[in-house]
Amino acid sequence: MHIVMFGPPGAGKGTQAGLLKDRLNFAYIATGDLFRKHMKEQTELGQLARTYIDRGDLVPDELTIEMLKNEMAKYPDVPGIIFDGFPRTTVQAEALEKMLHDQGDKIDAVLALEVPEDVLISRILNRGKTSGRSDDAERSTVVKRLQKYRELTEPLKDYYRRKNVLNVINGLQDIETVHNDILQALENVVRQ
Ligand code: AMP
């Protein structure tokens, strides 16, 4: 089973993916975490990615897809994978679909967390006080990330709606309630 945790920055994707992966024993791949690891280790990819991430831009598709492929290859025998922060563009969604198709798999569920923008901005700026993430610190960078989300990533909702795998979840509720809504949505997927 392959699950995409979808939504704008600050919607709670990481928190919810964490709860879900512990429950399901799935692999968890968060492209943002992978980029941060590369940046910390100052790899060539990390140094390149930083120039985009610090500005609030997306890292180019080619680099991101290559990194994801390498990461997926580490989990050949897991019952499922939870993708967090990937795909973020149509090119990435199509690449993921092809990769999974080539191994006889597909995306089974997209869990789209929805939260109003004003709440997202204050959540991220608040997180920035302790996360040490440069892209969480400045309001202008946060606003740009949200713009990029609206422009490049949000259209994927329609892409996945057409494929009948989109589940919209109210991300404004408390963590436990969101988690329960996610479990409910996944139960419906399993029953289908
Ligand atoms: P995140 O931790 O998911 O908020 O990601 C932090 C930053 O990493 C994003 O603002 C992007 O610059 C970059 N990033 C993470 N995932 C992707 C992706 N799938 N495509 C392009 N850039 C990404």
Side-chain angles (χ1 to χ4, degrees):
M1 185 157 178
H2 295 88
I3 297 171
V4 171
M5 198 60 73
F6 189 89
K13 299 188 294 296
T15 303
Q16 291 300 329
L19 292 173
L20 199 58
K21 94 175 148 72
D22 290 346
R23 200 173 183 117
L24 301 178
N25 229 353
F26 279 18
Y28 170 59
I29 300 181
T31 43
D33 288 351
L34 294 175
F35 282 129
R36 280 186 287 279
K37 187 160 181 280
H38 276 281
M39 292 194 289
K40 195 164 163 231
E41 292 169 359
Q42 300 194 352
T43 65
E44 204 177 316
L45 172 61
Q47 287 172 5
L48 192 53
R50 181 183 293 283
T51 60
Y52 297 94
I53 292 173
D54 281 355
R55 292 203 298 255
D57 280 326
L58 292 185
V59 179
D61 286 330
E62 208 186 324
L63 295 174
T64 308
I65 292 166
E66 184 65 23
M67 180 179 72
L68 181 92
K69 266 190 193 159
N70 292 335
E71 189 66 16
M72 277 175 73
K74 296 181 187 165
Y75 304 104
D77 293 320
V78 286
I81 301 178
I82 301 171
F83 298 95
D84 170 356
F86 187 98
R88 266 177 154 101
T89 64
T90 307
V91 171
Q92 292 180 15
E94 286 169 350
L96 180 61
E97 192 174 335
K98 182 169 186 318
M99 271 184 263
L100 293 175
H101 183 262
D102 288 349
Q103 59 187 54
D105 287 325
K106 61 179 172 50
I107 294 294
D108 299 283
V110 174
L111 304 165
L113 300 176
E114 290 191 345
V115 175
E117 268 200 22
D118 53 333
V119 178
L120 294 171
I121 293 175
S122 55
R123 274 192 194 177
I124 298 171
L125 290 174
N126 213 26
R127 178 173 75 185
K129 290 179 194 159
T130 52
S131 69
R133 284 178 54 171
S134 53
D135 61 342
D136 282 350
E138 294 283 334
R139 176 177 283 265
S140 59
T141 315
V142 172
V143 167
K144 174 130 173 239
R145 286 166 64 198
L146 289 171
Q147 267 168 9
K148 293 284 163 186
Y149 170 78
R150 249 183 278 123
E151 189 187 318
L152 299 167
T153 310
E154 201 166 28
L156 290 180
K157 273 194 204 169
D158 281 336
Y159 177 92
Y160 286 121
R161 194 176 280 121
R162 284 197 297 275
K163 296 192 183 288
N164 243 334
V165 291
L166 185 77
N167 298 270
V168 173
I169 310 277
N170 175 5
L172 200 53
Q173 311 169 97
D174 61 77
I175 291 175
E176 186 68 25
T177 310
V178 175
H179 180 57
N180 286 332
D181 282 3
I182 286 176
L183 293 179
Q184 184 66 56
L186 290 178
E187 238 172 68
N188 295 338
V189 172
V190 171
R191 262 201 241 112
Q192 269 172 17

